[in-house]
Amino acid sequence: QNATLQEQELWLHSKFTAFGTPSEVAAQLRRDDVCVVLRGLVAEAPTKPGCAIRAERWIGRLELLAETLRDQDLDHMAARLEPDAACYRYVIQAWAASDKEDPDLIVRRAQRWLVKQAESPVIDQRPDTASYNAFLDAVSKGRALKGYSSASVVRNPANLAQEALESMIRDRRVFGNASRIAPEYN
């Protein structure tokens, strides 16, 4: 727990590479192992460029492993390792926290991961309130104002935020209490 992010990433890399077959890797790896590194990347994203890209790589490795296991008819192992809403949320949060990255890139990449979640047929992968909050954070901090004076630079993120809110409302109406979107009262 007191390991640096670099040490955590080396540890996770060793879990992915120390064993030969995907089933051997799956036997030694947990989804939470990847989440530990993703949370660390979110924490360092405000001050260190590239954290969000690294988060994408880690979740991509987890997705690929789960897909490979499914292809080998090892569905029980794949289900245990498939990224869930929290994994995707961490990637979105890493982008939202990435103050050193291009503002347009931040919004596009955060949107890509939210859309991926929203289109997933797997219930545990679908976005929850926290996923939408992370996306709204990415588009609403005024990052796009850095050095730009175009009205569209402000309008485009505002439109994306409006679309996200409408999607949340639609999800809640369609699924009711089964929706992963719940009102927050702060």
Side-chain angles (χ1 to χ4, degrees), residues 154-169:
V154 176
R155 193 175 318 114
N156 292 342
N159 288 339
L160 290 173
Q162 179 68 33
E163 289 171 16
L165 291 170
E166 289 169 1
S167 179
M168 293 172 76
I169 292 167

Side-chain angles (χ1 to χ4, degrees), residues 21-43:
T21 67
S23 61
E24 290 172 333
V25 172
Q28 301 300 316
L29 185 69
R30 297 174 314 134
R31 180 187 308 134
D32 288 344
D33 296 337
V34 176
C35 285
V36 166
V37 170
L38 293 175
R39 281 191 299 270
L41 289 164
V42 170

